[in-house]
Amino acid sequence: MKYFGCILTFFLLLAIDTKPTGAVCGYESCPETKPNLVNIHLVPHSHDDVGWLKTVDQYYYGHKSNIQHAGVQYIIDTVVSELLKDPKRRFIQVETAFFAKWWQEQSEAVRQSVKKLVNEGRLVFAGGAWSMNDEAAVNYQSVIDQFSLGLKWLDETFGACARPRIGWQIDPFGHSREQASIFAQMGYDGEFFARMDHRDKNNRLDNLAMEMIWDASESLTNDELFTGLLYRHYSAPPGYCFDVHCGDDPIIDAKSYDNNVKSRVDDFLSYVSNVAKYYRSNHIMIPMGDDFQYEDAQVNFKNMDKLIKYVNERQADGSTYNLFYSTPACYLNSVHEGLQTWPNKTDDFFPYASDSNSFWTGYYTSRPTQKRFERDGNHMLQTAKQLSVFADLKSQQQKEDLDYLRQIMGVMQHHDAITGTEKQAVSNDYDRLLYDGIIGGASNARDALRVLTNLPEGEFESCLQLNISECAFTQDSADNVVVTLFNPLAHTSSQYVRVPVKEENYQVTDEKGRLVASEVVPVAWQVLALEYRQNTTQHELVFKASVNKIASYYIKKVDKVESKEIVLPKAAKKSVKQNEKNLEVPQRFKKVHSMQNVETHADDDSETVVQTSEIKLVIDNNTGRLKNVEMNGVSEAIDQNFAIYETYESGAYVFRQKEDVDLKFLEDKVEFTVYDGALVKEVHQQFSEWISQVIRIYEGVNRVEFEWLVGPIPTDEDTAREIVTVFDSEISSNGVFYTDSNGREMIKRVKDKREDFNPDLGRQPISGNYYPIVSRIALEDINKRIALLNDRAQGGTSMQNGQLELMLHRRLVQDDGYGVGEALNEQKYEKPLIARGKVYLILNSVEESTKVERLAEKEIHLPFWKFFSSHSQVNRNAAAKPLADFNVWPQSVHLLTLEPFSEHEVLLRLENFLDHIEGNVVSFNIRSILDDLGGVEIRETTLDGNMPLSEMKRMKFQHDAAGSRPKTAEFFTSQHKPLVAHKSQADSKFSVSLKPMQIRTFIIRNE
């Protein structure tokens, strides 16, 4: 009945509080402060995970209270009701995913009241993305997308008053420099978070450095952001949780024996006086909230009202404290107006350690298949968005399907989704949601390709299990199959394509009927042995494709491939080497390895050489492992192996090694088989009963591919296992290595060191040197450089000179005590999870540009998407629609985003992906793209696409190193004149320059 009473009050309030007022939003709506007092900004908030212990919907609807009592719909209901009662009250809403869902269910009267709250700065959005994203395992493209999505919804629903001014990243487990850069590029004034390494935090407390200026890019100028750490996590002060979830004392102010006003105010002021000692200004921010709080918001607000009243009453007696409802943005505005100087920060906040035995580095790798599936989701999202623009898809269903994929990708960036730190049932639900989203995106892609190609009735099927060489479309026959390839990159790309087929002869032709070299390669028997795999196809057809945006290749079965058409590699031995550890190749797979072009090697030769025209690999026949790599004119001894951390106390979040237990390398001899083709050379290796690998080098491709297969990982009652791959070289790296920040800029790491403090590595020396690797890890000396690139987020390090390590998979035996409440022990098909993935190696002279690594990153992140159709659907009379040609742009310009933005608008986001060392400013003209896309006019916006760049004005703060305080408040505005042009204007108006690492975002309006 209590909740019914709240709702009844809610509707009564609606009747009296929907009249328009002259109130304003933004900083003008901030509460008045008092210059000679300590101003305490009380910030009511609720931290609402978009999935964690319960699924997204379970959290929203308040289902499954036996797992966790949390219902977001009730939180928003009662918060709105309470805000309407008093214009002084404030509340910040963070996760747009939940608020958008709630909004859909509201009456027009409720919506008008909420709009009034937003327009008066009483309900304020912070962060504003679809979810509060993780910062370790995410790629910058997906972070930008989910902010663009959330901010667009806010803008379309409420207008400019809803636009957030600060980032509110209070719960992610470590913080990336690229995230700060993204906030700066969106025009945000600052960000706040709550988690920091315990040593770092203590050091900052001692040095008045809890707030700082973060230099968020080595390449971009003015890319700095005010950043603050909350004093005590994001919870209310101890004893002041006025929430139905808590048991803290309410404030009793009646004539009662239990009246506790004096003690409650005394204790509160004692707490805030201590907090104030650690901050530089006379303003402090006190968060009032926690996970899923404010479900009965009248309890919270009634007690906070009293606290504010009685704290401020003491000012008459000389108290120097002023307490009021506020927001993080209003707090920051007050700090900015204080004209102080601040310390500097240049790298990032990884790894995060909550104590000396708890480095939160396990989640960099946790749930490796889900991390990969998220990448597949992004791959389809970029494909579907671009194709939707090219084909001008407009139907309601097409819009809904694309929006759904955008939204679930926003959910997947959440700091308990892509991190793998959720319960298994929630992980399953994320997989379901993402699968549904990909299917919808694939439907859009099919509709578009039917318009854009000469297959108006083509099936354009997608195969989502190509990583285990399985495709329903080709499992019976690949005869007369059309493979249509979509290239999401700006420039024409040449890549090898692999299609699951039966062992037969095939001929591949391009759209002009020209023969394309191809060959049939055996699938590794360990993949064929997967019990859940359909084994109708045991080979792959390999050919090299060159694609601008869309290209089709035609597969036809032939009786015999004539030698003049395709040059076959030399015939090889027809034998299969059996494994010595009772791991005989199963009978049904022997045929695979007895075919032509399979070569095995006996022990009497000391080494086996596998080479293309660009790369030479040497395999040590005594160990069966890689021994040497030669490429780019550089030769280096590189030993690649797998190793195991046997752990016990690791969990989904934390990687904890056992004391005095060393990393266990696999020492048994590796059995290997070589496939020596003309297009691709493969070394199939068996390391143990549950670890195998294929090393590949393709003709004309300047990187080495390692495709690993790990699992099911065995565990014992007291022993978990975490699997790494290790590359050992003789490069003298002196403890220095480099890791990417969210797939963009690289950050220098030094073993056992941090920028601002001495880390506590006594108990966890390895975990304390782990960093998130989203796309690349590298090391070098004065002569040589090696880089590893991956296909999903992983943890990585360099514990020895010349050595690089990536964690691939983990299976654990207990929870780590940080809330998820279950061991990370994934089961699929009623067996422990098997994972498969790829790592790529590039060896180069240190004098050569790392541009090749950048290009490889882009191809790995967004390769061709393969669509399959029947040749019978080809209509020779249907002409392919000409598409915009992005090849006119400089090679370093990346098509970061091309998507439908509104009914008659398209968003175009361009990036110069080289840094200040690798590249220079590039200039080009985009008039032809405007014309190709049917554009009438173009305008430039902030990074997210929702605010004109000309209106961007964000706070600038003064560095301590400046030596003096600023005399007036300073701001950043755009460093260049924002592009705004109409098609009637001269071509020169459409010129664009991009500095290294610069991203520019445009909205093109169509007729």
Side-chain angles (χ1 to χ4, degrees), residues 661-723:
V661 176
D662 294 331
L663 180 62
K664 293 188 175 180
F665 285 88
L666 300 186
E667 295 180 349
D668 289 342
K669 181 176 179 180
V670 175
E671 299 301 329
F672 71 97
T673 306
V674 175
Y675 172 84
D676 189 22
L679 303 178
V680 61
K681 322 286 184 180
E682 298 191 349
V683 182
H684 294 213
Q685 297 170 299
Q686 178 78 24
F687 284 80
S688 75
E689 291 188 48
W690 46 276
I691 298 178
S692 62
Q693 177 175 262
V694 178
I695 305 177
R696 291 191 188 93
I697 48 176
Y698 290 96
E699 185 58 48
V701 177
N702 217 8
R703 57 181 179 262
V704 186
E705 178 181 306
F706 298 80
E707 188 164 25
W708 50 269
L709 183 71
V710 175
I713 301 174
T715 57
D716 308 315
E717 185 177 334
D718 61 351
T719 305
R721 289 179 174 85
E722 308 183 48
I723 315 308

Side-chain angles (χ1 to χ4, degrees), residues 186 218 251 349 400 412 455 576 593 684 692 705 732 782:
M186 293 192 300
E218 292 182 22
I251 293 178
F349 293 94
E400 288 176 4
M412 289 306 299
L455 284 83
V576 177
H593 290 283
H684 294 213
S692 62
E705 178 181 306
S732 301
I782 59 172

Side-chain angles (χ1 to χ4, degrees), residues 519 568-572 596-599 601 609-612 673-683:
E519 63 192 5
L568 283 172
K570 63 183 180 181
Q596 190 178 24
N597 302 334
V598 171
E599 194 169 330
H601 299 271
V609 174
V610 181
Q611 62 184 347
T612 62
T673 306
V674 175
Y675 172 84
D676 189 22
L679 303 178
V680 61
K681 322 286 184 180
E682 298 191 349
V683 182

